Amino acid sequence: MAWSIDVQKVLASTSQAECQSEYNRLSDTHNRVLEQYEAGSPSFFEALHNIEEELFTTFELCPQNALLFTLMGEVQISLGNIQLATLYAQKAYDWNDSIWQTQHLLGSALAMQEKYAEGLPHMEKALSIAGDKAELLFNLCSTHFAAKNYKKSVEFCSRLIDKKDHKLHAPAYHIRGQAYKALNMNKKAKQDSITAQALGYNE
């Protein structure tokens, strides 16, 4: 009986490892599509639909896998299907709310529907789990600005600007400058606008 239980554990762990491998592969593919194809082009949509089809196949092997469902949600956002992305996000979150990916996807999907009060706490929770990832800081910087939480926008933009391990400084300076402007801090707003342009930001 003990041998049977051990075999089951090995099979389960192997399956989990394979699901993680598929997530990594398809996530990398999604990132390459976003980098290499013009958004909205026929080739862009074709590549995204190919990932979508592969994910449906992978779901049969990895049911209720939170990471794979977050990836499907991200693909749906790339396709412009925000409502559908929210459904995938909610399922992934219900299965595992302890990883930053589920928190961030659900928060982002809600924020894209201007449900900022619901979405932003999830996005901030994702950041606390992930440990100040640059892209998460940027999304909070820009989302708080969209929500007209200008002081919070300045806070997260500043944290992003203080980090060196990313290429988001130019847009971060731009958004922080806009937030300063909304707060009537015009001197700081002008300084950030100049810095953003010097770093290559183009509106």
Side-chain angles (χ1 to χ4, degrees):
M1 179 64 69
W3 181 86
S4 176
I5 292 173
D6 288 343
V7 169
Q8 288 176 2
K9 287 182 178 178
V10 170
L11 289 174
S13 64
T14 301
S15 175
Q16 190 173 18
E18 289 173 351
C19 294
Q20 180 68 47
S21 177
E22 282 298 283
Y23 167 77
N24 293 338
R25 180 180 69 82
L26 292 170
S27 182
D28 288 344
T29 302
H30 181 229
N31 289 333
R32 283 198 302 273
V33 169
L34 298 182
E35 290 172 2
Q36 295 175 6
Y37 293 93
E38 181 183 352
S41 66
S43 53
F44 175 79
F45 286 119
E46 181 181 0
L48 288 174
H49 284 305
N50 286 340
I51 298 172
E52 187 180 39
E53 288 301 317
E54 287 199 68
L55 279 168
F56 281 131
T57 300
T58 308
F59 288 162
E60 296 178 11
L61 303 172
C62 306
Q64 298 190 7
N65 183 283
L67 278 176
L68 286 165
F69 267 68
T70 61
L71 180 54
M72 179 63 96
E74 291 168 12
V75 169
Q76 296 306 323
I77 287 174
S78 299
L79 288 167
N81 302 326
I82 308 304
Q83 295 282 353
L84 188 54
T86 307
L87 294 176
Y88 282 109
Q90 189 64 63
K91 277 186 175 293
Y93 175 83
D94 289 344
W95 289 331
N96 188 351
D97 64 357
S98 67
I99 56 177
W100 70 263
Q101 291 93 336
T102 59
Q103 293 280 356
H104 186 256
L105 177 64
L106 182 57
S108 297
L110 290 167
M112 286 177 183
Q113 299 169 74
E114 299 185 1
K115 297 178 180 179
Y116 300 117
E118 296 175 55
L120 280 162
H122 289 294
M123 296 175 72
E124 293 188 17
K125 178 66 174 178
L127 183 70
S128 69
I129 295 170
D132 272 18
K133 285 177 71 71
E135 60 267 34
L136 304 191
L137 279 169
F138 179 75
N139 287 345
L140 280 163
C141 159
S142 57
T143 303
H144 272 296
F145 180 80
K148 299 182 179 180
N149 302 329
Y150 300 122
K151 289 183 179 179
K152 278 284 192 179
S153 179
V154 167
E155 174 192 333
F156 286 107
C157 291
S158 297
R159 284 169 64 177
L160 180 60
I161 287 167
D162 288 343
K163 288 175 65 68
K164 307 300 180 187
D165 58 343
H166 61 88
K167 299 178 180 179
L168 297 166
H169 287 97
Y173 272 108
H174 171 73
I175 295 170
R176 191 176 73 173
Q178 294 296 104
Y180 278 138
K181 185 177 180 180
L183 292 167
N184 295 316
M185 302 172 71
N186 294 324
K187 185 176 179 180
K188 288 187 174 183
K190 186 175 181 180
Q191 289 174 340
D192 274 2
S193 178
I194 292 170
T195 303
Q197 290 177 21
L199 291 171
Y201 182 82
N202 294 309
E203 293 191 53

